[in-house]
Amino acid sequence: MHINDAVFLEDLCPKFRFRQWRKSIHRFTGKSCIYCGKPSESIDHVLPRSQGGLSTTENCVPACLSCNGDKSDENALYWYRRQKFYDPRRAMAIRAWLEGDLRLAIRLLQWANPNFKIANKNYEKDESEYNAA
Ligand SMILES: [Zn+2]
């Protein structure tokens, strides 16, 4: 497929673009939950949609179903502070993510989770995708 056709397809089909976007969010953390580090199965709105949170990369983090369900409509940072698996490095990563500093967020997550290497490999590629979006 020619590269221009791909762009055209995305414009034509927002669903396709949405799926790509979701995938790229999971890739940032190596498909692990930003809160607890377990496999991420969902996208969590840090500021809940019910409180005006938007579906933007800055407000959407990869989360496992357990964290996503438990957090529900609460503010993520308040909720996270009370969890048994609370890690200040992850809290800082979430904050950096919210501010749109994904590079810093990923570095903090790597620090919190030494098993992060796989995601690190694809990091440069992921970042260029992010910048292009
Ligand atoms: Zn989790």
Side-chain angles (χ1 to χ4, degrees):
M1 188 164 47
H2 194 269
I3 185 97
N4 287 335
D5 292 338
V7 171
F8 182 64
L9 179 69
E10 272 199 37
D11 286 338
L12 205 68
C13 181
K15 243 186 200 165
F16 175 76
R17 186 195 293 229
F18 182 67
R19 217 164 49 209
Q20 294 297 104
W21 171 74
R22 285 183 75 103
K23 245 194 226 166
S24 74
I25 291 212
H26 285 289
R27 266 204 307 247
F28 281 128
T29 64
K31 296 192 174 109
S32 71
C33 174
I34 200 167
Y35 303 115
C36 71
K38 286 183 190 145
S40 61
E41 299 143 318
S42 62
I43 301 259
D44 181 47
H45 285 74
V46 178
L47 180 67
R49 269 175 293 190
S50 62
Q51 291 171 33
L54 299 173
S55 293
T56 57
T57 302
E58 290 80 9
N59 193 43
C60 291
V61 295
C64 68
L65 288 177
S66 152
C67 286
N68 200 342
D70 190 53
K71 186 194 141 252
S72 184
D73 265 5
E74 238 187 298
N75 178 295
L77 289 167
Y78 291 126
W79 169 84
Y80 183 56
R81 220 170 286 163
R82 295 197 317 269
Q83 304 311 306
K84 265 185 252 150
F85 48 79
Y86 176 83
D87 183 322
R89 293 168 298 193
R90 285 187 180 275
M92 278 161 73
I94 296 163
R95 216 174 271 273
W97 187 296
L98 288 177
E99 282 163 10
D101 194 345
L102 291 196
R103 183 187 281 267
L104 176 62
I106 288 163
R107 203 169 294 162
L108 288 162
L109 288 171
Q110 283 170 334
W111 186 25
N113 177 12
N115 300 324
F116 204 81
K117 285 176 195 122
I118 310 151
N120 191 21
K121 231 189 205 168
N122 299 320
Y123 170 51
E124 290 304 324
K125 188 174 166 268
D126 285 346
E127 196 191 33
S128 63
E129 277 173 20
Y130 171 70
N131 288 337

